[in-house]
């Protein structure tokens, strides 16, 4: 993993559960070694670790992989899978320009320090949404964006994955304050665009930490 | 776990199943040790044990963790996960002021003795709810609250988790009488607000006991 | 388990699958011993065994526990869970008076000989049902009951569990003739109340037998 | 299993997956022995074997059990379950006379040679269907039957299981030509009755073979 | 596997996960041997390997089997299943002529080099679709096809499986550029036919590679 001028276009969030009987220092060491291998895959620009302990019942930790291309992303993911942690969720997509605003919808920067929390969820629009005139959809997306502008302390990553995953988009948010992020989502629920959301679960909240901090959380006895 | 003047803002309910072949005194001892470690995490204000044996097919016991902050909650949860019990559900959120009434919706107090039963469930409102004018929603929530006032022997814990979990709210009820709680829920089903509930399962009923009582329930031969 | 004058108010149906590699005489003996312990729990009034072999893919046998109180029911369930059979379903509730008829809806008597088959399923009413005037719901429930009166050879157990389980009611039927019970259900599908049923699965059919007969069914080589 | 004059009234289709690590000749021999025991259960009239390899991800083989009564069916099923294959689906019901036509809807005969393929699926009608006048439903069922008459090379088995299973009916079709059966289903999708189908999955396609052929398919190295 | 003049009519996509503890060179060798056996089954025309690592949480690799007949397809699948990889999805069907256009909807050719990516998903039409006049459906399918004509660099495989699988169709797309394929799908979402799609998940994206490349991806340490 090395510094780069260009922001990565491919992001993936891999959530894993520790299988029964494997909350051991042996597993912790395997995760540590795998992360080193994954970080050194050419084309991988960022690799961050998170704890989901107590916030989800189906996983314990999360890795955020940022890469220039899908094959690099996959190679990094392969190293993490080789730990025999049990994969719970894989959410991925690419940064693209919005057909409504021409902008990417992504404010996250690799070089910035990570915030305390990450929230990731996928979403899909209804059939009705796509039958609306483009201009009407654009108007609603601009209202939607305006609500977000009141929350400038929250960074957004908007990933396109229509036709490539079980959902159309994956969104990631970085925040230092979970209640403040919750306020943002609550405000969004009353926008005109909201009823055109078909599905937006699972919603996965994770706490940022260095690898050692996350391993200390997930493997408390080691 | 130490006494505190301030009521905790973060509550989580962790439900676990005992994996096949592990209903042994060895597992019971591991749970006992984990609970001690979890209770002594700084910032953890309450930690209570419940049996769900026979009331659910997907879990056997429940821990209620009350903490001042999310990281404390997570550290306590990590100790419980380290027992290798199989996590079934994790329901959590924070105590906040209602946008409709200005009050928290929470009457539960840590210092009160626990009641015989705890019922926990998550819920999510429909899209239509959030498109209604604020005043109309407020009116319905006040009617909803009035129904609850007839059941003053039942304590409520209302947790906000919109955008942080697969559901928007988690509610916990303490009661000494399950049928009386059932009457409360039945009365609520005829309020005007009810059709705006999209989903309110799983509904998890648990019986309170000291750790020794709960272990005696879950591991009857030990 | 001892005879009692008072009919029990708490009933639960526990369905279990035999885990892979455990269809052995050792497991059969554990089930036998567990049933004895469960039967002797104070407050347990009835405990009956059923085979679901071939009638469900997710379970093999069923225990019907009738008790005076929830804690007794739970203690009996704990003994059955200690066998390491894999729990598939737990359906429970309490006998209560109907708000529409004032009667309990339960004709099953503990002292009667069990019929050849038991059918158990949970159900939940729609939001629309609870928004109807009480008198209109009452009228529909009376029509519903009239259809049932033509099937007097079928005994019914109606359990209330609103707000306590993922569904609002659990119903059990005892019949000697499965096709006749199917006729009853088919007749009910054309009543006015039927469209107000939101969900009524899983539907679990089980064949009654003594413990030895059921073990002979489930563990045919032992 | 012996020849009989009377056609069986109870039919069940049991689908099994071979668990990981068990695609061995030892398992194949256990299946062979179990099938012999199941075939010799009194009251069992037919027992046929099918491969679902590659046609489903959740199972590998299917057994069709035809019996005079439910207890015989269950005893045969118990022998197959004793192999420790993992049960994936159990679909069963009884042959009955249609309330619309007075006929059974079943053209399958035990004495006929089995066709190359079997397709089995359950289905449930909507609430709206049962609120229609009987005469209107009858008219639609007759149209539905007329479409089927153009496919006389396909045999049908219609099983009633309303109130006894998670679905109302189970249907089995025997065909030598899968594309021709697909044409039949496609034609049915445009009948007036079709929108009254609430659910008709899983749809399970299986290829007929002698036990040796099916074992050769499922355990290719043995 | 040998060259053939005739294009195969049966295609299946088998997705597998590597079970916990099996990301070893031993498993890699078993997969290699199984693929050789599967390729040499008479009637198998093509057998291609793909990595889904990091793109799905429920599988790691995919095999595309093209065969002249269902039994050949099944025999090849049996060899792959014998590796004890855990089957995640099996999507299959046959190439047929469209009732609307008379053409097959399939542009994929076995002799062409495989493109970098494969996207596979099943889909089912709504009840409403089949109640529309044939001519209206035809008109919508022609509009749908016109949108596809702008993406001539993407090859399509359209498989019919109505009444044979849990869905009606399986579609496979070959592309060198995932974002371009995503543009195609997005454009399709605004066609008049789109609201008649009931379900189109799972959507499975896989990266092409030689067996050695794919094994290197899935078993990175071997």
């Amino acid at each position: 993993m090395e510094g780069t001028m260009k922001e990565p276009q491919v992001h993936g969030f891999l959530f894993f559960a520790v299988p029964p009987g494997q909350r051991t220092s042996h597993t912790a060491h395997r995760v540590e070694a795998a992360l080193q291998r994954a970080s050194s895959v050419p084309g991988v620009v960022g690799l961050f670790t998170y704890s989901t302990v107590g916030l989800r019942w189906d996983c314990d930790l999360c890795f955020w992989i940022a890469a220039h291309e899908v094959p690099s992303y996959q190679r990094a993911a392969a190293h993490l899978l080789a730990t025999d942690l049990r994969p719970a969720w894989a959410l991925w997509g690419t940064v693209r320009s919005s057909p409504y605003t021409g902008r990417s919808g992504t404010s996250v920067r690799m070089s910035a320090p990570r915030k305390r929390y990450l929230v990731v969820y996928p979403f899909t629009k209804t059939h009705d949404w796509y039958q609306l005139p483009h201009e009407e959809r654009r108007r609603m997306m601009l209202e939607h964006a305006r609500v977000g502008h009141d929350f400038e302390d929250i960074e957004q990553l908007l990933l396109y994955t229509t036709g490539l995953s079980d959902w159309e988009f994956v969104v990631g948010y970085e925040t230092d304050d979970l209640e403040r992020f919750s306020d943002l989502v609550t405000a969004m629920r009353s926008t005109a665009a909201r009823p055109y959301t078909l599905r937006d679960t699972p919603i996965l909240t994770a706490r940022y930490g260095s690898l050692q901090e996350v391993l200390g959380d997930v493997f408390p006895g080691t």
Side-chain angles (χ1 to χ4, degrees), chain A:
Chain A
M1 191 175 72
E2 43 193 306
T4 175
M5 304 299 285
K6 210 173 54 165
E7 288 293 320
Q9 299 301 298
V10 178
H11 294 264
F13 301 96
L14 297 176
F15 293 83
F16 290 96
V18 184
Q22 314 257 321
R23 288 178 196 271
T24 62
S25 59
H26 176 66
T27 306
H29 290 314
R30 290 183 70 188
V31 172
E32 199 173 352
L35 199 80
Q36 283 193 333
R37 280 192 287 269
S39 296
S40 63
V41 168
V44 170
V45 185
L47 210 167
F48 310 106
T49 52
Y50 293 84
S51 162
T52 62
V53 164
L55 306 178
R56 296 286 305 181
W57 61 95
D58 52 1
C59 54
D60 294 294
L61 69 173
C62 164
F63 301 101
W64 172 5
I65 304 173
H68 286 306
E69 293 188 318
V70 168
S72 303
Y73 163 65
Q74 286 194 285
R75 271 177 216 115
H79 287 299
L80 300 175
L81 285 158
T83 55
D84 282 321
L85 294 176
R86 196 181 63 214
W89 297 101
L91 299 160
W92 66 282
T94 58
V95 177
R96 305 192 64 178
S97 300
S98 163
Y100 306 111
T101 67
R103 293 192 299 274
S104 74
T106 289
S107 62
V108 160
R109 289 293 166 262
M110 285 298 99
S111 56
R114 301 277 66 84
K115 290 181 183 282
R116 290 184 71 200
Y117 295 99
L118 171 75
V119 183
V120 180
Y121 60 85
F123 66 96
T124 300
K125 296 282 198 182
T126 61
H127 286 339
D128 283 351
W129 173 258
Y130 291 101
Q131 301 293 315
L132 292 176
H134 185 274
E135 185 50 35
E136 195 170 339
R137 285 183 271 161
R138 184 173 169 275
R139 190 180 49 72
M140 284 194 271
M141 290 314 293
L142 291 179
E143 179 209 357
H144 193 265
R146 267 193 303 273
V147 172
H149 288 164
D150 294 341
F151 296 84
E152 293 207 338
D153 48 317
I154 298 172
E155 305 297 338
Q156 179 177 274
L157 178 65
L158 174 58
L159 303 172
Y160 290 73
T161 190
T162 305
L164 305 176
S165 299
D166 290 2
W167 27 73
E168 297 175 343
F169 305 94
V170 169
V171 75
Y173 290 96
E174 290 194 278
T175 182
D176 283 329
D177 182 342
L178 288 179
E179 294 198 349
R180 185 145 164 81
F181 176 68
S182 196
D183 289 341
L184 165 57
V185 174
T186 301
M188 292 291 196
R189 302 255 149 137
S190 293
T191 61
R194 176 65 185 169
Y196 296 98
T197 299
L198 177 68
R199 182 197 163 182
D200 63 356
T201 53
I203 298 179
L204 301 137
T205 297
R207 189 161 58 93
Y208 177 69
S210 69
L211 176 62
Q212 293 313 318
E213 289 166 339
V214 169
L215 292 180
D217 241 45
V218 176
F219 303 90
T222 66

